[in-house]
Amino acid sequence: MCGIVGYTGSRQAAPILLDGLQRLEYRGYDSAGIAVNDGERIDIVKAMGRLAVLREKCDDGKTVSGCVGIGHTRWATHGKPSDVNSHPHVSENGRIAIVHNGIIENFAPLKEMLINRGRVFQSETDTEVAAQLIDFYYKGDILDAVARAVRELEGSYALGIVCSDDPETLVAVKSHAPLIVAYGEGENFFASDVTAVISHTKTVSYLDDDDIAVVCKDGIKFYTPFLDEIKKDKYIVDWDVSAADKCGYEHYMFKEIMEQPEAVSRTIAPYIKDGKADLSGYLNKDYIKELERIVIIACGSASHVGVIAKYNIEKLARIPVEVVLASEFRYCDPIVTDKTLVISISQSGETADTLEAQCEAKRLGATTLAIVNVEGSSIAKSADRVIYTKAGPEIAVATTKAYSTQLAVTVLLALYIADCRETISKSEYDTILTELEAVPENIRKILDDKASIQYLAYQHFNNEDLFFIGRNIDYALSLEGSLKLKEISYIHSEAYAAGELKHGTISLVIEGTLVIAVATYGRLVEKTLSNALEVKARGAHVMGITTERLKDKVASAADDMITIPDTHEVLLPSLAVLPLQLFAYYIAVYRGCDIDKPRNLAKSVTVE
C-alpha cells in the first residue's frame, strides 16, 4: 500500500517526482524517497516521516540533478518506518535502485540465497531483496536482469527500477498491484495512480499482471516475463487535474463530501434509460431469472454498502443475498455455483483481498460482477462484468463519495433484478427510481444545513467512547458511521443492531456515553426508540438521526436530533450517511487530527 512514480525526459526529474508523490501520499506516509540518475551515478535521498521532511531534505529537489528518476511514498509492511527501511532501495554496489508497492512473499529464501553468495543487506525490507536479485542477474542488460528476477518473485508487487549503466531508461513491472504508464511530449512516466501524472498528461496505458514496461523519453515498449514484445492500448483519462486538487477546501475529505451530489448524478445517469434502470448490458434477464443466490464480497466501507444492498435486494427481488468479508471468503469453503452471482465492490479496484476472493469465485463457477471506481483496475479486468461508478478521484483515505456512488449503483441493481424477476409493482418501481434521481438534490439540502451538524460535533468531540445503534438498514448504516468516526478521529466507537444491546453491550453504557440512534426506517422506528430509551435510562446522551416525517416521534427519546428529507426506505441510507460523514469530519477537526491521512491507514489496500 505504497505509491510509486517514475519520470524520464529532458526536465529535472526530482521536482516532478516530488509533485507526483504529493498526489500519491494518500497511499502511504510513513516515509518517502527519490532516486535520480544523473548520467553517471544514482543519487538517493529518503527520509522517515511525511513527504514534507523529504522536500526539506532535498530543498524541493534542487539538490538532486538528473532527468531520470523514481520516487516512493511508503506504508510500512516489512520493517518499521525508518530512514534505512525507506525506499528507494539499492543493490550492494549501488548500480540498481528500486521502488516497490506490495509484498514479495518469498523474499526470505531469496535473501538467504543471496547472502550465501556474499551479498550484504542494509535493511529489513523485502524490497532490498528484489534490488539485490536484479543486480545478481545483471550482465549488462537491465531488461534481461529484471525479467530473470521477476520470474522468481512471488507475491503482489509493482516495481520501478533504474540502473546507473542505463541513464535514460526506467523499467516498470506489475504483478497484482496497480501500475500505469503515461505518455508525454518527449517524456514518459509510470505511477501507481493516474493522479500522480495527470498534471503532465492524460494519455495512459494500463499494465496487466506480469507485464514489463521499458520507459524511455522517446517511447515505451512492453514485454512478457520471457521478453516477447507485446502491444498495449492507450486511453485518455476523462478528468482533469482540478479533480485531484483541494480547490480551496481545507481537506480532501470535506471536498469529497461536498462533491457527492454531482458524483451520484454522474453515476446513475448512464444506467437510467426510458424511465427504467437498465443494466441489461451487464446481466442478462434470463440469467437473472435463473439465479439462486447472490454473494457480495468487499472490505471496509464497501462491505457496509454490501450490507445495505443485501437488505434492499432481498426486500425488492426476493432472492437470498449473503455478504462476506473478502478477507474471509477464500477461507470459509464458500458454496457458490453457476447459479450464483458474486458481486465485488471496491473503490480502487485493487483491493487485494477482494481481488483474490473474486478470482476464487470465478474458479468455483460463479458469474462475477464488479462495482469499481477505477477503469483498467485489476478487479475490473478480472470480473466477468463491471459497472463503473463515476465518483472521480477520491484522495482522502476515508471514503465518502465512492461509498455514496456504490450505494446508488446497488439500488439500481436491486431495481433491475426485481424487475427481471417480476417481484416489484410498477408503482413502487417508479417511485424508487424517481426518488433515486432526486437523491443528489436531497444531498444538497443536507449539505446546506451542515452548520447544525458542526455544532453538535463541537458539543461531543471530547467523548472517548461512542455507540451507534439502529435496526435493518439503519443498523447497516450505523456500521459505516462508526467506521468513519474511528478512522479519522481515533475515538473508540462501535455499531450494534439495536435489539442486541440487552444481550451484553448495554453494560458498557455509563453516565454521559454518547449513543447515536439511527432511526430513519419507519417500520422499526418504535423498536429503535425503545432501545434508545433503555440506554438513556442508564445515563446515555442520545443523538437521533431521522427523517422529517418521524422527527416528532424521535424527539421524545433523543437529546439532540439531525433530520434528513423523506424518501423511499431503500434510499434512506443514501441520505442518512451524509450527517454521519459530516459529524465524523467535524469531530476530527476539533480534535486536531490529520483527517486526510489518518494514522496507520492507507487508501488502497493492495496487500492481504
Side-chain angles (χ1 to χ4, degrees):
M1 295 188 293
C2 306
I4 67 174
V5 62
Y7 171 80
T8 177
S10 301
R11 294 187 284 166
Q12 288 296 304
I16 295 170
L17 296 173
L18 290 168
D19 287 346
L21 292 178
Q22 192 78 54
R23 296 184 184 278
L24 290 175
E25 199 176 12
Y26 67 92
R27 286 182 171 270
Y29 28 89
D30 295 334
S31 58
I34 58 174
V36 176
N37 193 335
D38 68 1
E40 296 181 1
R41 66 189 183 90
I42 298 172
D43 288 329
I44 293 178
V45 184
K46 54 185 183 176
M48 184 177 73
R50 298 293 172 87
L51 185 62
V53 180
L54 177 65
R55 282 189 175 277
E56 183 177 356
K57 194 171 183 178
C58 66
D59 192 16
D60 280 330
K62 295 183 181 69
T63 65
V64 187
S65 63
C67 299
V68 177
I70 54 179
H72 186 275
T73 182
R74 184 174 189 240
W75 187 87
T77 53
H78 289 70
K80 64 183 179 181
S82 69
D83 286 354
V84 172
N85 288 331
S86 303
H87 296 214
H89 287 282
V90 294
S91 57
E92 185 181 355
N93 54 23
R95 178 166 50 202
I96 304 294
I98 184 173
V99 289
H100 168 215
N101 172 32
I103 289 179
I104 308 298
E105 293 178 351
N106 63 334
F107 81 98
L110 291 173
K111 185 173 185 177
E112 182 179 1
M113 179 274 289
L114 291 165
I115 289 173
N116 290 339
R117 284 156 179 78
R119 296 276 170 159
V120 176
F121 287 80
Q122 301 297 320
S123 75
E124 304 170 78
T125 69
D126 54 339
T127 304
E128 188 182 0
V129 175
Q132 297 273 33
L133 186 65
I134 292 168
D135 187 69
F136 177 75
Y137 283 119
Y138 182 75
K139 301 293 186 288
D141 184 337
I142 184 59
L143 175 59
D144 180 71
V146 171
R148 288 175 178 270
V150 298
R151 292 200 292 266
E152 293 194 33
L153 299 180
E154 298 173 6
S156 61
Y157 54 84
L159 306 176
I161 303 120
V162 290
C163 176
S164 60
D165 294 345
D166 201 342
E168 296 185 356
T169 301
L170 303 171
V171 181
V173 184
K174 167 184 161 55
S175 180
H176 305 288
L179 192 66
I180 60 103
V181 296
Y183 306 84
E185 295 286 338
E187 58 187 11
N188 290 304
F189 311 79
F190 70 74
S192 297
D193 194 310
V194 173
T195 55
V197 298
I198 193 67
S199 62
H200 305 288
T201 179
K202 291 186 177 184
T203 306
V204 303
S205 290
Y206 298 99
L207 273 66
D208 292 309
D209 286 340
D210 302 321
D211 285 350
I212 302 174
V214 176
V215 184
C216 302
K217 69 177 183 178
D218 297 323
I220 303 175
K221 292 185 177 181
F222 304 94
Y223 300 88
T224 71
F226 294 94
L227 299 185
D228 296 315
E229 189 170 352
I230 53 178
K231 300 295 183 182
K232 307 295 293 184
D233 293 331
K234 294 181 180 179
Y235 298 89
I236 304 299
V237 178
D238 63 357
W239 47 271
D240 60 30
V241 66
S242 64
D245 287 336
K246 289 183 184 177
C247 298
Y249 290 99
E250 185 176 357
H251 300 103
Y252 278 112
M253 183 180 178
F254 189 66
K255 172 179 179 274
E256 289 158 9
I257 289 172
M258 299 300 290
E259 288 175 340
Q260 287 176 107
E262 293 76 19
V264 172
S265 290
R266 281 196 309 269
T267 295
I268 64 177
Y271 307 118
I272 300 176
K273 298 175 184 176
D274 300 323
K276 302 279 281 188
D278 185 3
L279 298 175
S280 56
Y282 307 90
L283 295 170
N284 180 276
K285 184 174 182 179
D286 291 336
Y287 168 76
I288 292 294
K289 286 185 174 181
E290 295 297 318
L291 265 185
E292 293 179 349
R293 62 195 288 263
I294 294 171
V295 177
I296 299 175
I297 50 176
C299 301
S301 291
S303 74
H304 301 159
V305 171
V307 178
I308 293 171
K310 167 189 166 65
Y311 283 118
N312 287 341
I313 294 171
E314 288 185 339
K315 189 192 312 289
L316 299 180
R318 308 309 300 158
I319 184 170
V321 181
E322 181 182 7
V323 183
V324 184
L325 292 171
S327 56
E328 292 292 317
F329 180 80
R330 282 193 296 158
Y331 310 113
C332 64
D333 295 323
I335 302 172
V336 300
T337 70
D338 60 355
K339 289 184 170 57
T340 305
L341 174 64
V342 174
I343 302 173
S344 307
I345 307 176
S346 168
Q347 186 281 135
S348 67
E350 301 292 348
T351 311
D353 288 312
T354 306
L355 175 60
E356 293 301 326
Q358 178 177 272
C359 291
E360 177 69 3
K362 288 184 71 173
R363 188 186 69 80
L364 294 171
T367 297
T368 55
L369 171 69
I371 299 173
V372 299
N373 191 46
V374 181
E375 293 191 31
S377 56
S378 298
I379 291 173
K381 289 181 177 179
S382 170
D384 297 311
R385 305 282 188 273
V386 56
I387 298 175
Y388 288 109
T389 56
K390 300 292 183 180
E394 189 177 66
I395 308 301
V397 168
T399 183
T400 52
K401 62 179 180 174
Y403 175 95
S404 292
T405 55
Q406 290 164 356
L407 207 53
V409 167
T410 64
V411 173
L412 286 168
L413 194 59
L415 280 176
Y416 177 72
I417 295 172
D419 189 38
C420 289
R421 295 171 69 88
E422 300 176 354
T423 57
I424 187 171
S425 69
K426 185 179 186 304
S427 61
E428 184 171 30
Y429 183 100
D430 291 344
T431 297
I432 294 172
L433 194 61
T434 299
E435 293 290 343
L436 176 60
E437 291 179 302
V439 162
E441 183 56 35
N442 281 328
I443 290 175
R444 289 188 184 94
K445 291 177 181 177
I446 296 168
L447 294 175
D448 286 344
D449 193 36
K450 57 186 177 293
S452 63
I453 300 169
Q454 183 176 4
Y455 173 77
L456 291 175
Y458 182 73
Q459 303 301 309
H460 298 290
F461 75 91
N462 282 322
N463 284 63
E464 295 301 332
D465 292 283
L466 193 151
F467 299 102
F468 293 78
I469 61 173
R471 288 172 180 260
N472 198 272
I473 53 174
D474 287 335
Y475 163 60
L477 184 61
S478 294
L479 294 169
E480 178 63 9
S482 177
L483 178 60
K484 278 292 148 290
L485 191 69
K486 277 186 279 204
E487 61 188 346
I488 64 169
S489 75
Y490 316 141
I491 293 174
H492 169 256
S493 71
E494 300 295 339
Y496 294 100
E500 289 297 294
L501 282 171
K502 61 183 70 70
H503 297 287
T505 308
I506 202 167
S507 65
L508 298 174
V509 175
I510 59 174
E511 189 72 31
T513 301
L514 178 60
V515 176
I516 296 180
V518 185
T520 69
Y521 189 53
R523 301 187 205 182
L524 295 174
V525 68
E526 300 285 0
K527 298 285 188 184
T528 301
L529 293 181
S530 293
N531 301 130
L533 290 169
E534 288 171 356
V535 296
K536 195 170 182 178
R538 275 100 180 147
H541 185 100
V542 175
M543 180 187 299
I545 296 179
T546 191
T547 65
E548 286 293 324
R549 182 173 63 86
L550 297 171
K551 64 181 180 182
D552 290 339
K553 281 187 179 180
V554 174
S556 65
D559 301 294
D560 300 310
M561 192 163 56
I562 300 170
T563 60
I564 62 171
D566 293 302
T567 189
H568 191 281
E569 61 190 27
V570 303
L571 293 164
L572 289 167
S574 293
L575 303 184
V577 72
L578 271 295
L580 297 177
Q581 293 171 348
L582 287 165
F583 184 74
Y585 171 77
Y586 286 124
I587 287 276
V589 169
Y590 288 125
R591 291 171 71 91
C593 299
D594 193 342
I595 292 167
D596 289 333
K597 304 182 185 72
R599 68 187 181 205
N600 301 333
L601 299 179
K603 182 67 173 173
S604 299
V605 185
T606 56
V607 297
E608 288 190 77

